[in-house]
Structure formats: C-alpha cells, structure tokens
Amino acid sequence: MPTGEIDYSYAGVGFGNEAPSDLVELQALQFYDRAPQDYFDPSLRYKNTIRAVTAAGSLTVIDGLEEIKPGWSATEGSHWHLATDDTEVFISCDLIDLRTGFLNLRDLHLSAHITLKQHSVSELRKIDATLRSLISSWRENQ
C-alpha cells in the first residue's frame, strides 16, 4: 500500500469481527486541564474495582502490571492496572477476547479510551509509547 493511503479493509471492532490480533483501537481522546472526566479516569476505575474485590478475588503484580480478579462473579474477567509517574492505565475484561481500557498520559493532560485484544494487555508500555509518538507527530504538523 502506498504511503499515506488509508487501509479500510478492516471494518471495526466488535463481537464476531475477526480483528487483527495486534489491534489497538482508539475510541476517544480527552484533553483536560486538571484531571480527566470520571469516564476517562483510570485511577477512579481502579479504586472502584479494588474497593469491590471480594475474599474470592486476587491481586497479582508482575513487572508493575497488576492483574485484578474481583471474585464477585464467575463471569467476571480480569482487570489490569499500571501506574507510573507519567502514565496510568486501567483495562477491563470480560470473558470475550476484547478489552476496554482507559489510558491517562498525565504529563500531556490527555486521557484515551481504547479497545484492544487480550494479548495486547502485556504490551501496555508499547501502547503508551506509540500513542505518545502519534501525539508528538500530530503536534509537529499543526
């Protein structure tokens, strides 16, 4: 495909679609002054999930990435949380392969709503770096 041409061969993410296995789709962006709106705030989602974890739930941390299994329902999937000085992300999962996430780039005052495939959760740092690169390129071209 020539540079600059847009590939429309994939129609979108959703149940029943065969999305590319490495797909991360940006649903919405929010620039903010002091803090993201509640909907876009991964820290609020994380706090609410931690507060709701039952005795049957668990929290596992691997390389700074927290996997949270709330334990309140057999149909509830895992959630993931990662926080650094500049970035915070919270990913919610059910039993299908698609994940919904909220990524807050604190230093840029930008929060994003994303969807991603299950295996992409372990690549959150690459997703962060890619989004930062895209924003930088966009700002340079403005």
Side-chain angles (χ1 to χ4, degrees):
M1 175 180 317
T3 304
E5 187 174 325
I6 298 171
D7 180 4
Y8 291 104
S9 62
Y10 179 67
V13 174
F15 186 76
N17 289 340
E18 290 300 318
S21 62
D22 60 349
L23 180 72
V24 174
E25 187 171 292
L26 184 62
Q27 300 297 322
L29 286 173
Q30 180 208 26
F31 287 96
Y32 60 87
D33 285 326
R34 292 190 181 108
Q37 294 173 351
D38 288 353
Y39 177 79
F40 284 93
D41 190 350
S43 64
L44 183 60
R45 291 172 181 275
Y46 172 71
K47 289 173 191 171
N48 289 340
T49 300
I50 290 296
R51 202 173 301 133
V53 171
T54 68
S58 65
L59 176 70
T60 307
V61 181
I62 299 171
D63 193 26
L65 180 63
E66 297 174 85
E67 181 181 14
I68 307 153
K69 295 182 180 181
W72 64 67
S73 168
T75 60
E76 179 71 22
S78 295
H79 303 278
W80 286 271
H81 178 253
L82 177 68
T84 67
D85 289 341
D86 295 332
T87 303
E88 183 169 16
V89 63
F90 184 79
I91 307 291
S92 295
C93 304
D94 54 23
L95 296 180
I96 62 172
D97 194 35
L98 191 63
R99 308 300 182 236
T100 300
F102 295 87
L103 175 67
N104 184 8
L105 304 177
R106 296 174 180 147
D107 56 325
L108 299 178
H109 294 261
L110 174 100
S111 195
H113 174 195
I114 59 174
T115 53
L116 59 158
K117 301 293 275 184
Q118 178 177 353
H119 82 279
S120 299
V121 171
S122 63
E123 302 296 331
L124 290 176
R125 288 175 180 87
K126 288 181 185 175
I127 294 167
D128 177 344
T130 300
L131 185 55
R132 287 175 183 280
S133 176
L134 290 170
I135 291 166
S136 178
S137 294
W138 174 75
R139 285 183 172 168
E140 288 174 8
N141 292 318
Q142 292 301 308

